[in-house]
Amino acid sequence: MADEQTGPLPVVDFLKIPENGDPYLEGHKCTECGAIFLDTRSACSKCGARDKLEALKLSNRGTLYVYSIVHRSFPGIEVPYVSAIVDLDGGGTVKGNLINVDPDPEKIPMGMPVDVVFKDALGRKDKEGNSYLSYFFQPQKQSQ
Amino acid sequence: MSDVYILGTDMIKFGRFPDRTVPQLGAEAAQLALDDAGLTIQDMEALCCGNLYQASAMVGQRILQEIGQTGVPVVNCSNACATGATAFREAWMSIKAGIYDLVLAVGVEQMGRGLLGGGGGGKGIPKEGLLGSATMPAVFAEAGMEHSRKYGTTFEQFAKVSEKNHHHSTMNPKARYQIETPLEEVMNSEMIAYPNTKLMCSVNVDGSAAAVLASEKKAAELGMDRAVRVRASVLTSDPWQERDLVMPDVNTCTRAAAKAAYEMAGVGPEDIDLVELHDCFATAEILHYENLGLCGDGEAGKMIDEGATALGGKIPVNASGGLLSKGHPLGATGIANIYEVTTHLRGEAGKRQVEGAKLGLTHVIGLGSACAIHVLEKVN
Ligand SMILES: [Zn+2]
């Protein structure tokens, strides 16, 4: 028998939801050359080393590298949204929605510090009705 | 090893042909190219066919069913937006290797409608608009924003690319559109993914293009009056980059291909008279000025401002109208840009002719990634 869903499922495999503790993003680091991946691979795609990828908890803080403000998407997807690429402190680059900003290029400076936050996946559910936990980026509060 | 020559090449006028099949479209370009070479399908010793959306459906063989089933070897290839150029290169390699003297290369595509990329798939729930965007306009917007971040490139500078290429296409009867599109119109058209507006996205069309390639021996025998020499043919894939898990890198593989192509041809970017490059989005063209060495790093914005890449400028880029206005039928694009450069080298480009063109370069990028560059030279 399959287990009943007790909490949301992770939106991607590299989002980890520990039983006790806060969700986090997990990467894999090559101990040979230092390259960081979000998924697992047969070997390191930078240096080719085998069996050298070790799981690594990624930081919940980073800086906005680049972004695009998306105004047209597929039917049923609410626009606009900000598609952002974020370099995490300590390594790893992740793509996601940047939230709590005006969708205006004048107001979204590249290089700004952001936090990774974990929330419900915009109410999206799979065919079985399961809810999902996703990650988002938001500007770091300046007072903190 | 002997050089390889283009003896004939042509393309159909790009457009929408819902009532025709992929093999029919490919057959038309194939026959046009054969006619241009003054040869027949019976003269061809092999066919290399490029098509993306029917990659498993033996398009090359079905083209021969349309124009003559001669029993020659057929290779079907698929390499994203570098598909057509890859088919051309397969033909080039087989002649370079001394296996054949005459090979036909065809690129053909019939496109669906709507946005490319980001189309669901995978398990769980749709990720588009949740984990950013995987649509092509957004992916290339982000690539452009990287240039803005480094060099301060503006929305207006990106938009100028589209104004220029639309202007060029007014002189190309085979382009999908021949419509002057002023800068304000480009900038004020619907924003798709900032900084790419609708008029800064390539045109989704059906199309086909073909070329007849020949060995030096065969070209000499048949006559070289309108022949064009292939000085370099290069294909690269993308080496590992720090951000390539989330940000496809069109720069590194283009730089590597350009370096190899210039070395193979024994020329530098300063020797090139015209370029047809992969302007799938206006943002992309700016990146490739620098990737191809047409200017120094950080100088692409200035280059578009000064009109250096417009017809009449120092190094005209996308005289055909480019993917932005001529159109972008994925599998056909790589051979269509070879047709364009060849036409200029032959002095047959009419109103858009780059005067005195002797050396031209073609470039395509297939995201994922594949970069193909060809350097072509006028013979007579
Ligand atoms: Zn490694």
Side-chain angles (χ1 to χ4, degrees):
Chain A
M1 291 292 285
D3 292 330
E4 288 292 307
Q5 186 181 1
T6 50
L9 300 170
V11 69
V12 285
D13 289 341
F14 63 88
L15 193 165
K16 299 297 175 191
I17 310 175
E19 278 197 29
N20 303 301
D22 296 327
Y24 63 94
L25 300 181
E26 183 183 79
H28 288 86
K29 185 171 187 168
C30 173
T31 54
E32 200 75 16
C33 75
I36 294 176
F37 306 90
L38 298 174
D39 48 5
T40 54
R41 310 206 163 189
S42 306
C44 171
S45 44
K46 184 180 183 187
C47 75
R50 299 186 194 183
D51 305 318
K52 296 287 181 187
L53 296 179
E54 289 186 353
L56 167 77
K57 188 173 179 177
L58 299 175
S59 175
N60 283 346
R61 294 165 80 86
T63 53
L64 174 63
Y65 183 59
V66 296
Y67 64 92
S68 173
I69 305 166
V70 180
H71 292 268
R72 197 206 280 184
S73 190
F74 296 101
I77 292 174
E78 197 179 328
V79 289
Y81 53 91
V82 180
S83 171
I85 289 170
V86 167
D87 292 335
L88 299 174
D89 295 352
T93 299
V94 185
K95 183 168 188 162
N97 278 15
L98 175 63
I99 57 171
N100 297 335
V101 291
D102 285 337
D104 174 354
E106 300 286 317
K107 295 180 180 160
I108 309 176
M110 290 182 274
M112 81 170 160
V114 298
D115 285 327
V116 181
V117 293
F118 297 89
K119 297 177 187 229
D120 177 73
L122 305 175
R124 296 183 190 180
K125 294 186 193 311
D126 64 21
K127 274 179 264 174
E128 287 77 43
N130 296 311
S131 332
Y132 283 78
L133 185 73
S134 190
Y135 63 88
F136 299 86
F137 309 119
Q138 67 180 21
Q140 284 177 11
K141 293 203 175 63
Q142 281 165 356
S143 58
Q144 287 177 344
Chain B
M1 277 184 288
S2 82
D3 280 323
V4 177
Y5 294 79
I6 298 169
L7 293 186
T9 179
D10 212 335
M11 61 181 271
I12 66 167
K13 177 178 159 55
F14 288 173
R16 283 293 193 173
F17 309 104
D19 300 330
R20 302 182 65 193
T21 67
V22 167
Q24 284 168 351
L25 294 173
E28 185 178 349
Q31 289 184 324
L32 287 167
L34 287 167
D35 291 350
D36 184 53
L39 295 167
T40 69
I41 191 64
Q42 282 75 22
D43 296 315
M44 297 298 112
E45 296 167 84
L47 167 63
C48 299
C49 177
N51 173 268
L52 202 55
Y53 288 139
Q54 294 190 13
S56 59
M58 305 299 258
V59 171
Q61 284 83 345
R62 286 156 68 209
I63 288 173
L64 290 187
Q65 288 164 20
E66 294 280 337
I67 64 174
Q69 275 175 265
T70 56
V72 297
V74 175
V75 178
N76 293 289
C77 47
S78 153
N79 216 3
C81 301
T83 291
T86 302
F88 181 92
R89 189 165 191 275
E90 289 294 309
W92 174 84
M93 284 197 295
S94 69
I95 294 172
K96 198 79 178 163
I99 297 172
Y100 308 118
D101 287 309
L102 282 170
V103 180
L104 179 62
V106 181
V108 57
E109 206 72 62
Q110 202 163 31
M111 302 285 289
R113 290 190 182 271
L115 285 169
L116 293 183
K123 55 180 185 173
I125 52 173
K127 313 296 191 299
E128 181 62 29
L130 175 63
L131 301 182
S133 182
T135 63
M136 288 299 113
V139 165
F140 280 91
E142 288 160 1
M145 290 295 271
E146 186 177 43
H147 200 269
S148 299
R149 180 188 170 123
K150 283 185 188 158
Y151 305 118
T153 322
T154 64
F155 170 42
E156 181 173 335
Q157 286 173 321
F158 290 128
K160 281 180 180 175
V161 168
S162 199
E163 179 193 32
K164 168 183 73 73
N165 292 355
H166 279 87
H167 171 65
H168 289 169
S169 73
T170 63
M171 294 169 268
N172 182 2
K174 293 199 172 190
R176 167 67 157 141
Y177 294 119
Q178 290 87 16
I179 305 168
E180 288 290 356
T181 310
L183 184 60
E184 309 76 66
E185 200 178 322
V186 173
M187 295 178 75
N188 292 329
S189 67
E190 180 191 351
M191 184 57 75
I192 304 293
Y194 181 88
N196 282 322
T197 68
K198 185 172 184 187
L199 291 174
M200 295 160 73
C201 300
S202 52
V203 189
N204 207 347
V205 294
D206 307 333
S208 59
V212 174
L213 292 83
S215 64
E216 186 153 334
K217 184 181 108 210
K218 198 70 177 179
E221 187 185 311
L222 292 168
M224 297 239 201
D225 284 356
R226 292 170 69 248
V228 162
R229 185 184 288 123
V230 182
R231 283 283 294 266
S233 174
V234 172
L235 183 65
T236 58
S237 65
D238 49 334
W240 189 83
Q241 290 291 310
E242 194 188 343
R243 296 187 182 86
D244 69 358
L245 300 169
V246 292
M247 198 174 174
D249 173 24
V250 298
N251 300 314
T252 311
C253 56
T254 296
R255 284 175 187 241
K259 184 169 182 286
Y262 291 133
E263 274 173 23
M264 191 183 287
V267 301
E270 65 283 357
D271 301 313
I272 303 288
D273 299 306
L274 79 154
V275 172
E276 287 284 308
L277 63 73
H278 204 71
D279 60 330
C280 49
F281 295 89
T283 46
E285 182 166 318
I286 291 284
L287 308 180
H288 295 315
Y289 292 167
E290 295 169 16
N291 292 335
L292 296 173
L294 307 183
C295 63
D297 285 351
E299 294 173 359
K302 184 165 155 245
M303 205 176 191
I304 190 78
D305 283 342
E306 290 174 348
T309 57
L311 275 170
K314 193 179 73 153
I315 170 82
V317 171
N318 290 329
S320 66
L323 283 50
L324 290 171
S325 189
K326 177 178 65 179
H328 183 23
L330 314 184
T333 291
I335 300 185
N337 69 14
I338 287 170
Y339 159 78
E340 179 68 17
V341 167
T342 300
T343 303
H344 286 268
L345 297 176
R346 288 166 155 183
E348 297 172 2
K351 279 193 280 188
R352 67 185 190 285
Q353 176 68 41
V354 174
E355 287 307 325
K358 289 189 168 58
L359 210 53
L361 181 147
T362 66
H363 160 263
V364 284
I365 280 272
L367 210 63
S369 294
C371 176
I373 291 183
H374 287 91
V375 176
L376 307 176
E377 181 188 35
K378 180 186 173 71
V379 176
N380 287 309

